[in-house]
Amino acid sequence: MSVLIIDETQDVAEPSMSRLVAAAYLALFLLFVILGGLSATISISGAVVTSGRLVVSSYPKPVEHLKGGIVAKLFVANGDSVKAGQVLIRLDDTQTKANLAIVEKRLKELNARAARLLAGESGADAVTFTPELIRQAADNPQIASLLRGETQLFAARKLAEQRRKDQLDQRVLQYGQQIDGLEAQIDGNRKQLALVQKEADGVGTLVAYDPQNQGEFVLAQRGADPDAERGVGIVSCGVRGDVVGCFLSR
C-alpha cells in the first residue's frame, strides 16, 4: 500500500512571494511618481557642489600626537579594541625632561636675583630668599651655590656703597672745613677794612687842618675803598649732587 504526500507549503509560498515582488514594484513606481511630481512643482534656486569619500564604519582611524616625538613603548596592537582614556603609546621624555630642567634652573636663578635686588632696593642688611628656595638648597648643592653667590654679590655691593658713602661724607667734611677757613678769612678782611676806614677818617680830619696831608689822605681813602681791596675773599658755595663745592674769587 503506497501513501502519497502532497507538499502544500510550496504552493502557499509561491503566491506570497509574488505578492511581495508586486508590492515592491508598486512602491518603486509610487516613489518615482512622487519624485517626478515634486521635481516638476518645486524650483531649486541653487545648489552646493562638494566632494567627499564614503567609507565603512570599520575604517581605521589615524591617531597622531600634537607635537610628535619618539615612541618609547606601545601598549596596543593592530586590530585591538580601545576605550576612551586608554593609554595607547608612551613617548620618550628624555628631551622633554632636559628642557624642563633648563627652564627650572633659569627660574630659580631669576628668583634668587629678584630677592637680591629687592633687598638692595629696600636697604636691607641681608638677602631674604623664599622658603621654597631655602628648602631646595638644602637638598640641591647647585641651588645652595646659587644662593651663596647671590649673597656674596649683595655683600660686596653693600660694602662698595658704604665705602662710597664714607668717601662722600669725608669730602663734605673737608669742604665744610674749607668753608670755615674762608669765612674766617672774610671776617679778618672785614675787620682790616674797618681799621683802614677808621684810619682814613682820621687822616681826613688832619687834611682839614693841614692841606699838605692831601696825598696821604688819598692813599688812605684808596685803601679803604671796598672795590680797591681785592684781598677780601668772596666765597661761593653750592651743592651739586652729593658733593659740596666752594670757590674763592679774588
Side-chain angles (χ1 to χ4, degrees), residues 168-222:
L168 294 177
D169 291 340
Q170 185 67 24
R171 187 176 299 178
V172 170
L173 181 61
Q174 293 175 358
Y175 284 135
Q177 293 174 353
Q178 291 180 9
I179 293 173
D180 295 339
L182 293 174
E183 288 179 349
Q185 182 180 353
I186 292 173
D187 292 337
N189 290 333
R190 287 175 179 173
K191 291 178 181 180
Q192 183 179 0
L193 181 61
L195 293 176
V196 174
Q197 183 66 41
K198 185 177 180 180
E199 182 181 357
D201 294 340
V203 174
T205 303
L206 294 176
V207 171
Y209 293 101
D210 188 0
Q212 294 180 357
N213 297 324
Q214 183 70 30
E216 185 178 354
F217 173 74
V218 172
L219 293 176
Q221 188 68 26
R222 182 179 300 174

Side-chain angles (χ1 to χ4, degrees), residues 3-225:
V3 181
L4 179 62
I5 300 174
I6 300 175
D7 189 3
E8 295 181 355
T9 59
Q10 184 177 359
D11 296 337
V12 175
E14 289 181 356
S16 61
M17 286 295 297
S18 61
R19 284 196 299 270
L20 289 176
V21 173
Y25 283 124
L26 179 60
L28 290 174
F29 176 74
L30 292 176
L31 178 62
F32 283 117
V33 171
I34 293 172
L35 292 177
L38 291 175
S39 62
T41 57
I42 298 176
S43 59
I44 300 176
S45 59
V48 177
V49 179
T50 184
S51 60
R53 184 177 61 177
L54 296 177
V55 295
V56 296
S57 59
S58 60
Y59 186 78
K61 307 297 189 301
V63 179
E64 297 180 359
H65 190 266
L66 189 61
K67 295 184 178 180
I70 301 174
V71 177
K73 190 173 182 180
L74 187 64
F75 296 98
V76 293
N78 189 19
D80 292 348
S81 298
V82 296
K83 299 179 181 179
Q86 180 179 347
V87 179
L88 304 181
I89 60 174
R90 178 172 295 165
L91 299 179
D92 185 30
D93 56 355
T94 303
Q95 185 65 31
T96 304
K97 288 182 178 179
N99 295 334
L100 179 60
I102 294 174
V103 174
E104 288 181 346
K105 181 181 178 182
R106 181 60 177 168
L107 180 60
K108 293 180 178 64
E109 292 176 354
L110 294 177
N111 288 333
R113 184 180 303 175
R116 174 177 59 81
L117 294 177
L118 288 176
E121 182 181 3
S122 61
D125 296 332
V127 184
T128 303
F129 298 104
T130 60
E132 183 180 0
L133 280 177
I134 297 176
R135 179 180 55 81
Q136 293 176 354
D139 301 329
N140 193 334
Q142 293 182 352
I143 301 178
S145 176
L146 174 63
L147 300 187
R148 188 164 51 252
E150 292 293 339
T151 303
Q152 294 175 355
L153 180 59
F154 174 80
R157 291 189 175 181
K158 188 80 172 178
L159 180 60
E161 291 177 358
Q162 185 62 37
R163 290 178 177 176
R164 176 64 176 169
K165 182 177 180 298
D166 294 340
Q167 291 177 358
L168 294 177
D169 291 340
Q170 185 67 24
R171 187 176 299 178
V172 170
L173 181 61
Q174 293 175 358
Y175 284 135
Q177 293 174 353
Q178 291 180 9
I179 293 173
D180 295 339
L182 293 174
E183 288 179 349
Q185 182 180 353
I186 292 173
D187 292 337
N189 290 333
R190 287 175 179 173
K191 291 178 181 180
Q192 183 179 0
L193 181 61
L195 293 176
V196 174
Q197 183 66 41
K198 185 177 180 180
E199 182 181 357
D201 294 340
V203 174
T205 303
L206 294 176
V207 171
Y209 293 101
D210 188 0
Q212 294 180 357
N213 297 324
Q214 183 70 30
E216 185 178 354
F217 173 74
V218 172
L219 293 176
Q221 188 68 26
R222 182 179 300 174
D225 188 1

